Amino acid sequence: MDMKKVVSLKVLLVLALVVVSTGCKKSSSSKNSSRATGWNINSREGGFQYNADFKEQETSPGLVFVEGGTFTKGRVQDDVMHDWNNSPNQQHVQSFYMDETEVTNAMYMEYLDWIKRVYPPSDENFRAIYHGALPDTLVWRNRLGFNEVMTENYLRHPAYGEYPVVGVSWIQAVEFANWRSDRVNEYNLEKAGYLKRDAKILDVNADSNFSTDTYINAPTLTYGGNEEIINAQGRGRRNVQTDADGNETNIYATRETGIISPKYRLPTETEWEYAALGLSEIRSYNMYRGRKKYPWDGQYTRSGKRKTRGDQKANFKQGKGDYGGIAGWSDDGADITNAVKSYEPNDFGLYDMAGNVAEWVADVYRPIVDDEFNDFNYYRGNVYTKNAINDDGTVKVVTIDDIVYDTLSNGKVVARNLPGEILQVPVDENETYLRTNFDKSDEINFRDGDKRSSRYFESFNDDEGMEGEKKDSETRKMYNSPKHSITRDSLGNIVREYDKGNNRTSLINDEVRVYKGGSWKDREYWLDPAQRRYFPQDMATDYIGFRCAMSRVGSKSKAKTKTKN
């Protein structure tokens, strides 16, 4: 063969390989083609719709980023109260977001204003909804103290607008977080062009309300099925496709768009303690192992900085009869609560993680943290639910006629659900059959309060045939707390009965929740983030507030700009 032809063939072969390899590289890195099938995505021809340009979760209003990691949960110093409820154990926390400050009176008043507009208390059908959301302002009263100025003014007067809200029960705090989730996602969808401009204000009423879960599962039923509102009417619509006839399709945002954020919620106890310690800049072995005493560095509550030397770093009770120091030279600048951001934040940028008000967390209280079973995102209180489904296969959306009210143990009436939400029911054997990770909907008592963890397993049975045996079984449960009762007579009046039995052995039950951190009424001992206490979930005080958290989706760390080659 001619040598020139051989060389030419070799050159052509090399060029072909270059073209093939270049083409493969381009195909595999293209954002508009699938690495699984090679099909186009996000195409006008109706291909798979997916936000391939998503970088990372956007920080939602009021939140700061807390990068997760491992830490020693539980107090490792002296336990002078002898509670023995915070034994040190190693835990790992996923990255999450947390409110920069406690929820303030102004923030909660915005919630009350929305409830009042959408569910007017002047309407008999909705009166209990608004009243059930109101904080208990009577928590300020003291039988031997004059505190009426707080009873009348603390919640609503603008002088206290940036002070943490109190008088809010755990149940009310959860409802606030749910409301906040819907309002933020409603705003995000409007900003992205999926909802009509100002629909969140102008077109909302009891019959026409927005719910994030409803929008995701049945967007045509959001706002009461009002297509004029739900369809994208504003500017800047995204992912709007057209069919062959030019008709718009896919006009609703889905999770694949990345626009709908995770829900606001109460932080778990583990998250709260980890965030309060502020270990992001810590390089000391002792502090990493759990020997950090406060949200700030050092072993003292007073500032050592030259400008602020001697000032207290938190708002707490200094001593008997001393809630703020001497007039004109105040130790902490407050006698009751103080405005948020009055003291320096910790290393995560979180304010008042010690002092001011103690804070509700999500967990049901138990004396022992069961780290032998789980040491990752530890939380006690899981109750798994699913969407209720109609006979025709659609989700069941709550209407005005479907509102269910609960009468709490203290006699207060609250709405369990609101119109526009998807009705939730417990998971059943369809979800639990042959599973190894959970076997029923309510897992609050798992390994601490259920039959398997009771020393009286053989008689721990609510289905005993004889009344005497059943009564004996009730008195021998692991957590034998008082059982007060709330009933209604034939006229609908509430009848309150107290449990006056003398055989109760505990105040712990499945309706008491953990609260963390010291408050303006607490001594320095309670400022340690590892301290833990509990209180009934349907009751409130003048020293417990709350802040919200949000889970992070995606990477553990904040994305950093990478240089492209």
CSV table of all heavy atoms in Angstrom, one decimal, residues 508-562:
chain,number,residue,atom,x,y,z
A,508,ILE,N,-44.6,13.2,83.9
A,508,ILE,CA,-44.2,13.0,82.5
A,508,ILE,C,-45.2,12.2,81.8
A,508,ILE,O,-45.7,11.2,82.3
A,508,ILE,CB,-42.8,12.2,82.5
A,508,ILE,CG1,-41.8,13.0,83.2
A,508,ILE,CG2,-42.4,12.0,81.1
A,508,ILE,CD1,-40.5,12.2,83.4
A,509,ASN,N,-45.6,12.7,80.6
A,509,ASN,CA,-46.5,12.0,79.7
A,509,ASN,C,-46.2,12.4,78.3
A,509,ASN,O,-45.2,13.1,78.0
A,509,ASN,CB,-48.0,12.2,80.1
A,509,ASN,CG,-48.3,13.7,80.0
A,509,ASN,OD1,-48.0,14.4,79.1
A,509,ASN,ND2,-49.1,14.2,81.0
A,510,ASP,N,-47.0,11.9,77.3
A,510,ASP,CA,-46.7,12.2,75.9
A,510,ASP,C,-47.1,13.6,75.5
A,510,ASP,O,-46.9,13.9,74.3
A,510,ASP,CB,-47.4,11.2,75.0
A,510,ASP,CG,-46.8,9.8,75.2
A,510,ASP,OD1,-45.7,9.6,75.8
A,510,ASP,OD2,-47.5,8.8,74.8
A,511,GLU,N,-47.6,14.4,76.4
A,511,GLU,CA,-48.0,15.8,76.1
A,511,GLU,C,-47.1,16.8,76.7
A,511,GLU,O,-47.5,18.0,76.8
A,511,GLU,CB,-49.5,16.0,76.4
A,511,GLU,CG,-50.5,15.4,75.5
A,511,GLU,CD,-50.6,13.9,75.7
A,511,GLU,OE1,-50.7,13.4,76.8
A,511,GLU,OE2,-50.6,13.1,74.7
A,512,VAL,N,-46.0,16.4,77.3
A,512,VAL,CA,-45.0,17.4,77.8
A,512,VAL,C,-43.9,17.5,76.9
A,512,VAL,O,-43.3,16.5,76.4
A,512,VAL,CB,-44.6,17.0,79.2
A,512,VAL,CG1,-45.7,17.0,80.2
A,512,VAL,CG2,-43.9,15.7,79.3
A,513,ARG,N,-43.4,18.7,76.6
A,513,ARG,CA,-42.4,19.0,75.6
A,513,ARG,C,-41.2,19.6,76.3
A,513,ARG,O,-41.3,20.3,77.3
A,513,ARG,CB,-42.9,19.9,74.5
A,513,ARG,CG,-44.1,19.4,73.8
A,513,ARG,CD,-43.7,18.3,72.8
A,513,ARG,NE,-44.9,17.7,72.2
A,513,ARG,CZ,-44.8,16.9,71.1
A,513,ARG,NH1,-43.7,16.7,70.5
A,513,ARG,NH2,-45.9,16.3,70.6
A,514,VAL,N,-40.0,19.4,75.7
A,514,VAL,CA,-38.8,20.0,76.2
A,514,VAL,C,-38.7,21.5,75.9
A,514,VAL,O,-39.1,21.9,74.9
A,514,VAL,CB,-37.6,19.3,75.6
A,514,VAL,CG1,-36.3,19.9,76.1
A,514,VAL,CG2,-37.7,17.8,75.8
A,515,TYR,N,-38.2,22.3,76.9
A,515,TYR,CA,-37.8,23.6,76.6
A,515,TYR,C,-36.4,23.8,77.0
A,515,TYR,O,-35.9,23.2,78.0
A,515,TYR,CB,-38.8,24.7,77.1
A,515,TYR,CG,-38.8,24.8,78.6
A,515,TYR,CD1,-38.0,25.8,79.3
A,515,TYR,CD2,-39.7,24.1,79.4
A,515,TYR,CE1,-38.1,26.0,80.6
A,515,TYR,CE2,-39.7,24.2,80.8
A,515,TYR,CZ,-38.9,25.2,81.4
A,515,TYR,OH,-39.0,25.4,82.8
A,516,LYS,N,-35.7,24.7,76.3
A,516,LYS,CA,-34.2,24.8,76.5
A,516,LYS,C,-33.8,26.3,76.8
A,516,LYS,O,-34.5,27.2,76.4
A,516,LYS,CB,-33.5,24.3,75.3
A,516,LYS,CG,-33.7,22.9,74.9
A,516,LYS,CD,-32.9,21.9,75.7
A,516,LYS,CE,-31.5,21.9,75.3
A,516,LYS,NZ,-30.7,20.8,76.0
A,517,GLY,N,-32.7,26.4,77.4
A,517,GLY,CA,-32.1,27.7,77.6
A,517,GLY,C,-32.7,28.4,78.9
A,517,GLY,O,-33.8,28.2,79.3
A,518,GLY,N,-31.9,29.3,79.5
A,518,GLY,CA,-32.4,30.1,80.6
A,518,GLY,C,-33.2,31.3,80.1
A,518,GLY,O,-33.3,31.6,79.0
A,519,SER,N,-33.9,31.9,81.1
A,519,SER,CA,-34.8,33.0,80.8
A,519,SER,C,-34.5,34.2,81.7
A,519,SER,O,-33.6,34.1,82.6
A,519,SER,CB,-36.3,32.6,80.9
A,519,SER,OG,-36.6,32.5,82.3
A,520,TRP,N,-35.2,35.3,81.6
A,520,TRP,CA,-35.1,36.4,82.4
A,520,TRP,C,-35.4,36.1,83.9
A,520,TRP,O,-35.0,36.8,84.8
A,520,TRP,CB,-35.9,37.6,81.9
A,520,TRP,CG,-37.4,37.3,82.0
A,520,TRP,CD1,-38.2,36.7,81.1
A,520,TRP,CD2,-38.3,37.7,83.1
A,520,TRP,NE1,-39.5,36.6,81.5
A,520,TRP,CE2,-39.6,37.2,82.7
A,520,TRP,CE3,-38.1,38.4,84.3
A,520,TRP,CZ2,-40.7,37.4,83.5
A,520,TRP,CZ3,-39.2,38.5,85.1
A,520,TRP,CH2,-40.5,38.1,84.7
A,521,LYS,N,-36.1,35.0,84.1
A,521,LYS,CA,-36.5,34.6,85.5
A,521,LYS,C,-35.6,33.6,86.1
A,521,LYS,O,-35.8,33.2,87.2
A,521,LYS,CB,-37.9,34.1,85.5
A,521,LYS,CG,-39.0,35.1,85.1
A,521,LYS,CD,-40.4,34.5,85.2
A,521,LYS,CE,-40.9,34.5,86.7
A,521,LYS,NZ,-42.3,34.1,86.8
A,522,ASP,N,-34.6,33.1,85.3
A,522,ASP,CA,-33.8,32.0,85.7
A,522,ASP,C,-32.4,32.4,86.2
A,522,ASP,O,-31.9,33.4,85.7
A,522,ASP,CB,-33.6,31.0,84.6
A,522,ASP,CG,-34.9,30.2,84.2
A,522,ASP,OD1,-35.6,29.8,85.2
A,522,ASP,OD2,-35.2,30.1,83.0
A,523,ARG,N,-31.8,31.7,87.1
A,523,ARG,CA,-30.5,31.9,87.5
A,523,ARG,C,-29.5,31.4,86.5
A,523,ARG,O,-29.8,30.7,85.6
A,523,ARG,CB,-30.2,31.3,88.9
A,523,ARG,CG,-31.1,31.8,90.0
A,523,ARG,CD,-30.8,33.2,90.3
A,523,ARG,NE,-29.5,33.4,91.0
A,523,ARG,CZ,-29.3,33.3,92.3
A,523,ARG,NH1,-30.3,33.2,93.1
A,523,ARG,NH2,-28.1,33.5,92.8
A,524,GLU,N,-28.2,31.8,86.7
A,524,GLU,CA,-27.2,31.5,85.7
A,524,GLU,C,-27.0,30.0,85.4
A,524,GLU,O,-26.7,29.6,84.3
A,524,GLU,CB,-25.8,32.0,86.3
A,524,GLU,CG,-24.6,31.7,85.5
A,524,GLU,CD,-23.3,32.0,86.2
A,524,GLU,OE1,-23.4,32.8,87.2
A,524,GLU,OE2,-22.3,31.5,85.8
A,525,TYR,N,-27.4,29.1,86.3
A,525,TYR,CA,-27.3,27.7,86.1
A,525,TYR,C,-28.0,27.2,84.9
A,525,TYR,O,-27.5,26.3,84.2
A,525,TYR,CB,-27.9,27.0,87.4
A,525,TYR,CG,-28.0,25.5,87.3
A,525,TYR,CD1,-26.9,24.7,87.5
A,525,TYR,CD2,-29.2,24.9,87.0
A,525,TYR,CE1,-27.0,23.3,87.4
A,525,TYR,CE2,-29.3,23.5,86.9
A,525,TYR,CZ,-28.2,22.7,87.1
A,525,TYR,OH,-28.3,21.4,87.1
A,526,TRP,N,-29.1,27.8,84.5
A,526,TRP,CA,-29.9,27.4,83.4
A,526,TRP,C,-29.5,27.9,82.1
A,526,TRP,O,-30.0,27.6,81.0
A,526,TRP,CB,-31.4,27.7,83.6
A,526,TRP,CG,-32.0,27.0,84.8
A,526,TRP,CD1,-32.3,27.6,86.0
A,526,TRP,CD2,-32.3,25.7,85.0
A,526,TRP,NE1,-32.8,26.7,86.9
A,526,TRP,CE2,-32.8,25.5,86.3
A,526,TRP,CE3,-32.3,24.6,84.1
A,526,TRP,CZ2,-33.2,24.2,86.7
A,526,TRP,CZ3,-32.7,23.3,84.5
A,526,TRP,CH2,-33.2,23.2,85.8
A,527,LEU,N,-28.5,28.8,82.0
A,527,LEU,CA,-28.0,29.3,80.8
A,527,LEU,C,-27.2,28.3,80.0
A,527,LEU,O,-27.0,28.4,78.8
A,527,LEU,CB,-27.1,30.5,81.0
A,527,LEU,CG,-27.7,31.7,81.7
A,527,LEU,CD1,-26.7,32.9,81.8
A,527,LEU,CD2,-29.0,32.2,81.0
A,528,ASP,N,-26.7,27.2,80.6
A,528,ASP,CA,-26.0,26.2,79.9
A,528,ASP,C,-26.9,25.5,78.9
A,528,ASP,O,-28.0,25.0,79.2
A,528,ASP,CB,-25.5,25.1,80.9
A,528,ASP,CG,-24.6,24.1,80.4
A,528,ASP,OD1,-24.7,23.8,79.2
A,528,ASP,OD2,-23.7,23.6,81.1
A,529,PRO,N,-26.5,25.5,77.6
A,529,PRO,CA,-27.3,24.9,76.5
A,529,PRO,C,-27.7,23.5,76.8
A,529,PRO,O,-28.7,23.0,76.2
A,529,PRO,CB,-26.5,25.0,75.3
A,529,PRO,CG,-25.6,26.2,75.6
A,529,PRO,CD,-25.3,26.1,77.0
A,530,ALA,N,-26.9,22.7,77.6
A,530,ALA,CA,-27.2,21.3,77.8
A,530,ALA,C,-28.4,21.1,78.8
A,530,ALA,O,-28.9,20.0,78.9
A,530,ALA,CB,-26.0,20.6,78.4
A,531,GLN,N,-28.7,22.1,79.6
A,531,GLN,CA,-29.8,22.0,80.6
A,531,GLN,C,-31.1,21.7,79.8
A,531,GLN,O,-31.4,22.3,78.8
A,531,GLN,CB,-29.9,23.2,81.4
A,531,GLN,CG,-28.8,23.4,82.4
A,531,GLN,CD,-28.7,22.3,83.5
A,531,GLN,OE1,-29.6,21.5,83.6
A,531,GLN,NE2,-27.7,22.3,84.3
A,532,ARG,N,-32.0,20.9,80.4
A,532,ARG,CA,-33.3,20.6,79.8
A,532,ARG,C,-34.4,20.5,80.8
A,532,ARG,O,-34.2,20.0,81.9
A,532,ARG,CB,-33.2,19.3,79.0
A,532,ARG,CG,-32.6,18.1,79.7
A,532,ARG,CD,-32.1,17.0,78.8
A,532,ARG,NE,-33.1,16.6,77.8
A,532,ARG,CZ,-33.8,15.5,77.9
A,532,ARG,NH1,-33.7,14.7,78.9
A,532,ARG,NH2,-34.6,15.2,76.9
A,533,ARG,N,-35.5,21.1,80.5
A,533,ARG,CA,-36.7,21.0,81.4
A,533,ARG,C,-37.9,20.7,80.5
A,533,ARG,O,-37.8,20.6,79.3
A,533,ARG,CB,-36.9,22.4,82.1
A,533,ARG,CG,-35.8,22.7,83.1
A,533,ARG,CD,-35.9,24.1,83.7
A,533,ARG,NE,-35.4,25.1,82.8
A,533,ARG,CZ,-35.4,26.4,83.0
A,533,ARG,NH1,-35.9,26.8,84.2
A,533,ARG,NH2,-34.9,27.2,82.2
A,534,TYR,N,-39.1,20.5,81.1
A,534,TYR,CA,-40.2,20.2,80.4
A,534,TYR,C,-41.5,20.9,80.9
A,534,TYR,O,-41.5,21.3,82.1
A,534,TYR,CB,-40.5,18.7,80.3
A,534,TYR,CG,-40.7,18.0,81.7
A,534,TYR,CD1,-42.0,17.9,82.2
A,534,TYR,CD2,-39.7,17.6,82.5
A,534,TYR,CE1,-42.3,17.3,83.4
A,534,TYR,CE2,-39.9,17.0,83.7
A,534,TYR,CZ,-41.2,16.8,84.2
A,534,TYR,OH,-41.4,16.2,85.4
A,535,PHE,N,-42.5,21.0,80.0
A,535,PHE,CA,-43.7,21.8,80.4
A,535,PHE,C,-44.8,21.2,79.5
A,535,PHE,O,-44.6,20.8,78.4
A,535,PHE,CB,-43.5,23.3,80.2
A,535,PHE,CG,-44.4,24.2,81.0
A,535,PHE,CD1,-44.2,24.3,82.3
A,535,PHE,CD2,-45.5,24.8,80.3
A,535,PHE,CE1,-45.1,25.1,83.1
A,535,PHE,CE2,-46.3,25.6,81.1
A,535,PHE,CZ,-46.1,25.8,82.4
A,536,PRO,N,-46.1,21.2,80.0
A,536,PRO,CA,-47.2,20.7,79.2
A,536,PRO,C,-47.3,21.5,77.9
A,536,PRO,O,-47.2,22.7,77.8
A,536,PRO,CB,-48.4,21.0,80.0
A,536,PRO,CG,-47.9,20.9,81.4
A,536,PRO,CD,-46.5,21.6,81.4
A,537,GLN,N,-47.5,20.8,76.8
A,537,GLN,CA,-47.5,21.4,75.4
A,537,GLN,C,-48.7,22.3,75.2
A,537,GLN,O,-48.6,23.2,74.3
A,537,GLN,CB,-47.5,20.3,74.4
A,537,GLN,CG,-48.8,19.5,74.3
A,537,GLN,CD,-48.7,18.4,73.3
A,537,GLN,OE1,-47.7,18.0,72.8
A,537,GLN,NE2,-49.9,17.9,72.9
A,538,ASP,N,-49.8,22.3,76.0
A,538,ASP,CA,-50.9,23.1,75.8
A,538,ASP,C,-51.0,24.3,76.8
A,538,ASP,O,-52.0,25.0,76.8
A,538,ASP,CB,-52.2,22.3,75.8
A,538,ASP,CG,-52.4,21.5,77.0
A,538,ASP,OD1,-51.5,21.6,77.9
A,538,ASP,OD2,-53.3,20.6,77.0
A,539,MET,N,-49.9,24.5,77.5
A,539,MET,CA,-49.9,25.6,78.5
A,539,MET,C,-48.8,26.5,78.2
A,539,MET,O,-47.9,26.2,77.4
A,539,MET,CB,-49.7,25.0,79.9
A,539,MET,CG,-50.9,24.1,80.4
A,539,MET,SD,-50.6,23.4,82.0
A,539,MET,CE,-50.7,24.8,83.0
A,540,ALA,N,-48.8,27.7,78.7
A,540,ALA,CA,-47.9,28.8,78.4
A,540,ALA,C,-47.4,29.5,79.7
A,540,ALA,O,-48.0,29.4,80.7
A,540,ALA,CB,-48.5,29.8,77.5
A,541,THR,N,-46.3,30.2,79.6
A,541,THR,CA,-45.7,31.0,80.7
A,541,THR,C,-45.2,32.3,80.2
A,541,THR,O,-45.2,32.6,79.0
A,541,THR,CB,-44.5,30.2,81.4
A,541,THR,OG1,-43.4,30.3,80.5
A,541,THR,CG2,-44.8,28.7,81.6
A,542,ASP,N,-44.8,33.1,81.2
A,542,ASP,CA,-44.2,34.4,80.8
A,542,ASP,C,-42.7,34.4,80.6
A,542,ASP,O,-42.0,35.4,80.4
A,542,ASP,CB,-44.5,35.5,81.9
A,542,ASP,CG,-43.9,35.1,83.3
A,542,ASP,OD1,-43.4,33.9,83.4
A,542,ASP,OD2,-43.9,35.9,84.2
A,543,TYR,N,-42.1,33.2,80.5
A,543,TYR,CA,-40.7,33.0,80.3
A,543,TYR,C,-40.3,32.0,79.2
A,543,TYR,O,-39.1,31.8,79.0
A,543,TYR,CB,-40.0,32.7,81.7
A,543,TYR,CG,-40.4,31.4,82.3
A,543,TYR,CD1,-39.9,30.2,81.9
A,543,TYR,CD2,-41.4,31.4,83.2
A,543,TYR,CE1,-40.3,29.0,82.5
A,543,TYR,CE2,-41.9,30.2,83.8
A,543,TYR,CZ,-41.3,29.0,83.4
A,543,TYR,OH,-41.7,27.8,84.0
A,544,ILE,N,-41.3,31.5,78.5
A,544,ILE,CA,-41.0,30.5,77.4
A,544,ILE,C,-41.5,31.2,76.1
A,544,ILE,O,-42.6,31.5,76.0
A,544,ILE,CB,-41.6,29.2,77.6
A,544,ILE,CG1,-41.2,28.5,78.9
A,544,ILE,CG2,-41.3,28.3,76.4
A,544,ILE,CD1,-41.8,27.1,79.2
A,545,GLY,N,-40.6,31.3,75.2
A,545,GLY,CA,-40.9,31.7,73.8
A,545,GLY,C,-40.5,30.7,72.9
A,545,GLY,O,-40.4,29.5,73.2
A,546,PHE,N,-40.1,31.0,71.6
A,546,PHE,CA,-39.7,30.0,70.7
A,546,PHE,C,-39.0,30.7,69.5
A,546,PHE,O,-39.1,31.9,69.3
A,546,PHE,CB,-40.9,29.2,70.2
A,546,PHE,CG,-41.9,29.9,69.3
A,546,PHE,CD1,-41.8,29.7,67.9
A,546,PHE,CD2,-42.8,30.7,69.9
A,546,PHE,CE1,-42.8,30.3,67.1
A,546,PHE,CE2,-43.7,31.4,69.1
A,546,PHE,CZ,-43.7,31.2,67.7
A,547,ARG,N,-38.3,29.9,68.7
A,547,ARG,CA,-37.8,30.3,67.4
A,547,ARG,C,-38.0,29.2,66.4
A,547,ARG,O,-38.1,28.0,66.9
A,547,ARG,CB,-36.4,30.8,67.5
A,547,ARG,CG,-35.3,29.7,67.7
A,547,ARG,CD,-33.9,30.4,67.7
A,547,ARG,NE,-33.7,31.1,69.0
A,547,ARG,CZ,-32.8,32.1,69.1
A,547,ARG,NH1,-32.2,32.6,68.0
A,547,ARG,NH2,-32.6,32.7,70.2
A,548,CYS,N,-38.0,29.4,65.2
A,548,CYS,CA,-38.2,28.4,64.1
A,548,CYS,C,-36.9,27.9,63.5
A,548,CYS,O,-35.9,28.6,63.6
A,548,CYS,CB,-39.1,28.9,63.0
A,548,CYS,SG,-40.8,29.4,63.6
A,549,ALA,N,-37.0,26.7,62.9
A,549,ALA,CA,-35.9,26.2,62.2
A,549,ALA,C,-36.4,25.7,60.9
A,549,ALA,O,-37.6,25.6,60.6
A,549,ALA,CB,-35.2,25.0,63.0
A,550,MET,N,-35.4,25.3,60.0
A,550,MET,CA,-35.8,24.7,58.7
A,550,MET,C,-34.7,23.8,58.3
A,550,MET,O,-33.5,24.1,58.4
A,550,MET,CB,-35.9,25.8,57.6
A,550,MET,CG,-36.3,25.3,56.2
A,550,MET,SD,-36.3,26.7,55.0
A,550,MET,CE,-37.9,27.5,55.5
A,551,SER,N,-35.1,22.6,57.8
A,551,SER,CA,-34.1,21.7,57.3
A,551,SER,C,-33.4,22.2,56.1
A,551,SER,O,-33.9,22.9,55.3
A,551,SER,CB,-34.7,20.3,57.0
A,551,SER,OG,-35.4,19.8,58.1
A,552,ARG,N,-32.1,21.8,55.9
A,552,ARG,CA,-31.4,22.1,54.7
A,552,ARG,C,-31.4,20.9,53.7
A,552,ARG,O,-31.2,19.8,54.2
A,552,ARG,CB,-29.9,22.5,55.0
A,552,ARG,CG,-29.1,22.7,53.7
A,552,ARG,CD,-27.7,23.2,54.1
A,552,ARG,NE,-26.8,23.3,52.9
A,552,ARG,CZ,-26.8,24.3,52.0
A,552,ARG,NH1,-27.6,25.3,52.2
A,552,ARG,NH2,-25.9,24.3,51.0
A,553,VAL,N,-31.7,21.2,52.5
A,553,VAL,CA,-31.6,20.1,51.5
A,553,VAL,C,-30.3,20.3,50.6
A,553,VAL,O,-29.9,21.4,50.4
A,553,VAL,CB,-32.9,20.2,50.6
A,553,VAL,CG1,-34.1,19.8,51.3
A,553,VAL,CG2,-33.0,21.5,49.9
A,554,GLY,N,-29.7,19.2,50.3
A,554,GLY,CA,-28.5,19.3,49.5
A,554,GLY,C,-27.3,19.2,50.3
A,554,GLY,O,-27.2,18.4,51.3
A,555,SER,N,-26.3,19.9,49.9
A,555,SER,CA,-24.9,19.8,50.5
A,555,SER,C,-24.9,20.1,52.0
A,555,SER,O,-25.7,20.9,52.5
A,555,SER,CB,-23.9,20.6,49.7
A,555,SER,OG,-24.2,22.0,49.8
A,556,LYS,N,-23.9,19.6,52.7
A,556,LYS,CA,-23.7,19.9,54.1
A,556,LYS,C,-23.3,21.3,54.3
A,556,LYS,O,-23.6,22.0,55.3
A,556,LYS,CB,-22.7,18.9,54.7
A,556,LYS,CG,-22.3,19.1,56.2
A,556,LYS,CD,-21.3,18.1,56.6
A,556,LYS,CE,-20.9,18.3,58.1
A,556,LYS,NZ,-20.0,19.4,58.3
A,557,SER,N,-22.4,21.8,53.4
A,557,SER,CA,-21.8,23.1,53.6
A,557,SER,C,-22.3,24.0,52.5
A,557,SER,O,-22.9,23.6,51.5
A,557,SER,CB,-20.2,23.0,53.4
A,557,SER,OG,-19.7,22.1,54.3
A,558,LYS,N,-22.2,25.3,52.8
A,558,LYS,CA,-22.6,26.3,51.9
A,558,LYS,C,-21.7,26.2,50.6
A,558,LYS,O,-20.5,26.0,50.7
A,558,LYS,CB,-22.4,27.7,52.4
A,558,LYS,CG,-23.5,28.2,53.4
A,558,LYS,CD,-24.7,28.7,52.6
A,558,LYS,CE,-25.7,29.4,53.5
A,558,LYS,NZ,-26.8,30.0,52.7
A,559,ALA,N,-22.3,26.3,49.4
A,559,ALA,CA,-21.6,26.2,48.2
A,559,ALA,C,-20.6,27.3,48.0
A,559,ALA,O,-20.9,28.5,48.4
A,559,ALA,CB,-22.6,26.2,47.0
A,560,LYS,N,-19.4,27.0,47.5
A,560,LYS,CA,-18.4,28.0,47.3
A,560,LYS,C,-18.1,28.1,45.8
A,560,LYS,O,-18.2,27.1,45.1
A,560,LYS,CB,-17.1,27.5,48.0
A,560,LYS,CG,-17.2,27.5,49.5
A,560,LYS,CD,-15.9,27.1,50.2
A,560,LYS,CE,-16.0,27.0,51.7
A,560,LYS,NZ,-14.8,26.5,52.3
A,561,THR,N,-17.8,29.3,45.4
A,561,THR,CA,-17.6,29.5,44.0
A,561,THR,C,-16.3,28.7,43.5
A,561,THR,O,-15.2,28.9,44.1
A,561,THR,CB,-17.4,31.0,43.7
A,561,THR,OG1,-18.5,31.7,44.2
A,561,THR,CG2,-17.2,31.3,42.2
A,562,LYS,N,-16.4,27.9,42.5
A,562,LYS,CA,-15.3,27.1,42.0
A,562,LYS,C,-14.8,27.7,40.7
A,562,LYS,O,-15.6,28.1,39.8
A,562,LYS,CB,-15.7,25.7,41.9
A,562,LYS,CG,-16.1,25.0,43.2
A,562,LYS,CD,-16.4,23.5,43.0
A,562,LYS,CE,-16.8,22.9,44.3
A,562,LYS,NZ,-17.1,21.4,44.1
